[in-house]
């Protein structure tokens, strides 16, 4: 599949109390192409169960599932993996998951790290934070100029993350992003119907 469009990332707080599956299905119905299961808890039984349920949902909608920072779980389910800068070896992940697996890397605002990640064989590189973010507060580190430079330098898909909303999505696409990774801007909603509406809004902005 081509790596373009809306990249939905789960959040344990926003998707608590039974919201994970209905909200994620709404995001998929609205056009999300990639899903990242991000759960930093130590509850391995629940994480396996939730990831398995998300894998089935993604199958139904023709989307791809990636696991955040858990090579063992990604390997067990035979799905993709996303690694932060300090979350483990990209080379080891590629060796273990195989040549066809989707593997992504967080590069923050570092083109140098992106070069290392590309050399290690990742499927996409993710830059951010571009805007003030509820999920990861702090000063935005990445700029559209960085995105433009990355687009000129790298041939693989580029993900933009951090405070992404429908109102600022266009400038990220225009600067060279292929995928927009969204957490709060998608799931900080009071109903599954609102999640689907937001997903459709993001999808409509895709070039």
């Amino acid at each position: 599949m081509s790596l373009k469009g809306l990249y939905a990332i789960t959040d344990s707080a926003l998707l608590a109390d039974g919201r994970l599956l209905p909200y994620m299905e709404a995001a998929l119905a609205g056009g999300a192409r990639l899903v990242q299961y991000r759960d930093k808890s130590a509850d391995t039984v629940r994480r396996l169960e939730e990831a398995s349920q998300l894998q089935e949902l993604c199958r139904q909608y023709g989307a791809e599932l990636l696991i955040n920072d858990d090579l063992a779980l990604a390997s067990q389910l035979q799905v993709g993996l996303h690694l932060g800068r300090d979350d483990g070896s990209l080379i080891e992940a590629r060796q273990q998951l195989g040549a066809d697996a989707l593997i992504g890397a967080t590069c923050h605002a570092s083109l140098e790290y992106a070069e290392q990640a590309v050399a290690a064989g990742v499927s996409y590189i993710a830059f951010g934070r571009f805007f003030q973010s509820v999920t990861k507060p702090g000063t935005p580190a990445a700029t559209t100029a960085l995105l433009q430079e990355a687009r000129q330098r790298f041939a693989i898909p580029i993900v933009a993350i951090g405070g992404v909303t429908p109102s600022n999505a266009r400038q990220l696409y225009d600067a060279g992003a292929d995928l927009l990774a969204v957490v709060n801007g998608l799931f900080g909603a009071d109903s599954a119907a609102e999640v689907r509406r937001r997903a459709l809004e993001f999808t409509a902005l895709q070039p």
Side-chain angles (χ1 to χ4, degrees):
M1 66 176 289
S2 65
L3 296 182
K4 287 186 177 299
L6 178 60
Y7 186 174
I9 300 183
T10 70
D11 178 276
S12 306
L14 289 175
L15 297 175
D17 305 320
R19 288 191 291 268
L20 178 66
L21 295 178
Y23 274 35
M24 187 53 78
E25 181 159 16
L28 289 163
R33 307 305 303 133
L34 291 190
V35 169
Q36 183 185 134
Y37 178 59
R38 188 176 187 276
D39 185 304
K40 297 291 190 180
S41 75
D43 188 343
T44 52
V45 174
R46 179 179 57 77
R47 292 172 75 242
L48 173 59
E49 183 182 348
E50 288 183 349
S52 300
Q53 291 169 326
L54 287 175
Q55 182 181 25
E56 182 52 39
L57 262 187
C58 286
R59 240 185 233 128
Q60 291 171 29
Y61 284 89
E64 294 279 352
L65 176 67
L66 296 92
I67 306 294
N68 178 279
D69 183 26
D70 190 336
L71 176 55
L73 181 56
S75 186
Q76 185 175 352
L77 292 177
Q78 293 190 297
V79 297
L81 178 71
H82 182 92
L83 290 177
R85 286 189 61 167
D86 305 312
D87 288 343
S89 164
L90 291 165
I91 294 171
E92 182 187 326
R94 176 57 73 202
Q95 288 171 341
Q96 188 164 327
L97 295 177
D100 296 331
L102 275 182
I103 299 176
T106 296
C107 303
H108 299 298
S110 171
L111 292 167
E112 291 70 32
Y113 185 79
E115 271 183 4
Q116 294 169 29
V118 171
V122 296
S123 312
Y124 68 80
I125 43 179
F127 295 98
R129 196 174 44 237
F130 283 91
F131 307 102
Q132 287 295 341
S133 165
V134 176
T135 312
K136 293 192 172 183
T139 307
T143 63
T144 51
L146 172 96
L147 209 48
Q148 289 166 338
E149 191 173 340
R151 179 73 291 155
Q152 289 168 352
R153 196 184 291 196
F154 304 111
I156 69 169
I158 293 172
V159 177
I161 187 170
V164 180
T165 66
S167 62
N168 60 37
R170 173 65 64 202
Q171 60 187 285
L172 296 172
Y173 277 135
D174 288 348
D178 298 289
L179 289 137
L180 302 184
V182 190
V183 187
N184 198 73
L186 187 58
F187 296 120
D190 56 11
S191 68
E194 173 62 15
V195 173
R196 183 172 182 272
R197 188 196 69 75
R198 292 182 184 189
L200 285 166
E201 196 174 357
F202 276 113
T203 302
L205 292 166
Q206 182 188 331

